[in-house]
Amino acid sequence: MKLNWKGVFPAITTPFNADLTVDHGFLAEHIRWQIDNGVAGIVPLGSLGEGATLSPNEKRQILETCLGAAAGRVPVVPGISALGTAEAVELAKHAASVGCRGLMVLPPYVYSTDWREMHAHVAAVLAATELSCMLYNNPVAYRTDFVPEQVAELAAEFPHLEAVKESSTDVRRVTGIRALLGERLDILVGVDDAIVEGIDAGATGWIAGLVNAFPAESVALYRLALEGRKREAAELYRWFLPLLRMDTVPKFVQLIKLVQERVGRGRVHVRPPRLVLEGDELRQAEATIQRALASRPPV
């Protein structure tokens, strides 16, 4: 069944207790709050969700919590990645078996190589289920770049590949995919500080990070940009950008969890090798958050 990839899809953070076990109670509450604020789907187990630090069993438990909290109101679309192809395939099959309605397919966490090997990995995951799939292109983080011609090759091979999360930070990739494939794939912006530009170029969705703290503002910005209400979108974007830029730096997980804590919607706990912010980094982030909260616009 085709999935509607249009809208704002939170890349959900994974909340941890003080002992760094998963806080399933808060996770469920957080998901319900996101849905109440108008998001189109829930994306757990991604980079922002610290998926690389989660065990296979923890991932399965998180999917159960997400599905229970979503209660069919929006689709749950987990990130599918692992060190090896077999583990990624197993997770994809499990996600399908428990009721997930789509998959976000990533390259392997560590190994980056040529197209022959990356195609084989992604193809194995895509072939594992008939779920609607979104390819995640993030060459900055994963050192694997799925260029438009390769995306087109996968789209021709797998009809249920229906979307691309484009996180190359180059908005020209949106127009490049559109030039090759027209409307065959939905294109979702994967870096927060390119959402307005990405929609202008032809993107139709947003896999968002700061939505974890500001869902109403994120949904409002997306709708203003999609509807071409440029002046209103520019005003909201101008306020939001200092926060959205936190999504595009190496410590984006720590920063976004800090913002969540400061708005009363989470805690800063992260799993090593990440550590919570301190010193000048913390002071600069706090100042940015305080300025934003002091001038927070109504939406």
Side-chain angles (χ1 to χ4, degrees):
M1 181 182 296
K2 184 174 175 61
L3 192 148
N4 182 6
W5 291 99
K6 296 176 175 61
V8 180
F9 290 73
I12 290 290
T13 52
T14 300
F16 298 121
N17 298 301
D19 64 358
L20 300 187
T21 57
V22 177
D23 184 345
H24 287 274
F26 178 79
L27 178 59
E29 176 188 332
H30 187 55
I31 288 169
R32 289 190 289 266
W33 179 61
Q34 292 285 319
I35 297 171
D36 289 344
N37 277 277
V39 303
I42 300 295
V43 182
L45 310 184
S47 310
L48 183 53
E50 298 173 76
T53 74
L54 300 169
S55 71
N57 188 53
E58 285 176 322
K59 290 181 179 181
R60 290 190 290 267
Q61 292 172 345
I62 286 169
L63 291 186
E64 291 177 11
T65 297
C66 291
L67 289 162
R73 296 168 65 192
V74 300
V76 174
V77 183
I80 304 296
S81 190
L83 290 172
T85 301
E87 184 181 336
V89 167
E90 182 180 354
L91 180 59
K93 290 180 177 179
H94 177 77
S97 72
V98 296
C100 294
R101 289 170 50 194
L103 304 175
M104 181 175 72
V105 181
L106 286 73
Y109 282 134
V110 175
Y111 186 61
S112 178
T113 177
D114 56 30
W115 172 233
R116 182 177 72 91
E117 291 187 328
M118 289 298 94
H119 173 274
H121 173 84
V122 171
V125 177
L126 292 172
T129 79
E130 295 181 354
L131 292 180
S132 176
C133 288
M134 172 176 59
L135 180 68
Y136 182 10
N137 184 44
N138 188 339
V140 177
Y142 294 106
R143 298 182 298 114
T144 294
D145 190 2
F146 298 113
V147 299
E149 291 77 10
Q150 293 166 348
V151 174
E153 184 178 332
L154 288 167
E157 189 175 352
F158 296 98
H160 60 293
L161 176 61
E162 296 178 350
V164 179
K165 176 185 176 183
E166 178 48 57
S167 299
S168 66
T169 74
D170 184 354
V171 73
R172 294 173 298 179
R173 288 299 182 89
V174 176
T175 52
I177 295 169
R178 284 275 174 258
L180 283 177
L181 291 170
E183 302 302 313
R184 164 66 180 83
L185 297 175
D186 284 312
I187 303 174
L188 291 86
V189 176
V191 285
D192 278 4
D193 65 348
I195 180 57
V196 172
E197 299 89 334
I199 288 177
D200 281 347
T204 54
W206 183 11
I207 307 294
L210 269 297
V211 67
N212 281 280
F214 296 100
E217 290 84 351
S218 298
V219 171
L221 179 60
Y222 166 79
R223 289 176 177 166
L224 290 170
L226 195 67
E227 293 168 6
R229 296 160 65 181
K230 291 185 178 296
R231 182 186 60 79
E232 295 165 276
E235 289 177 1
L236 183 54
Y237 203 27
R238 190 176 304 112
W239 168 81
F240 215 170
L241 266 174
L243 296 168
L244 297 178
R245 292 186 179 118
M246 292 181 174
D247 182 58
T248 63
V249 295
K251 294 185 181 179
F252 71 117
V253 177
Q254 295 93 316
L255 286 162
I256 290 173
K257 282 191 166 182
L258 176 66
V259 180
Q260 284 185 252
E261 185 173 88
R262 294 302 181 263
V263 300
R265 292 290 179 173
R267 289 177 291 183
V268 296
H269 305 311
V270 290
R271 278 187 174 172
R274 290 184 174 89
L275 299 173
V276 296
L277 300 173
E278 61 180 25
D280 286 342
E281 284 184 317
L282 177 59
R283 284 188 288 272
Q284 291 170 12
E286 292 274 22
T288 298
I289 296 166
Q290 289 170 8
R291 285 193 296 270
L293 292 178
S295 59
R296 189 174 186 175
V299 293

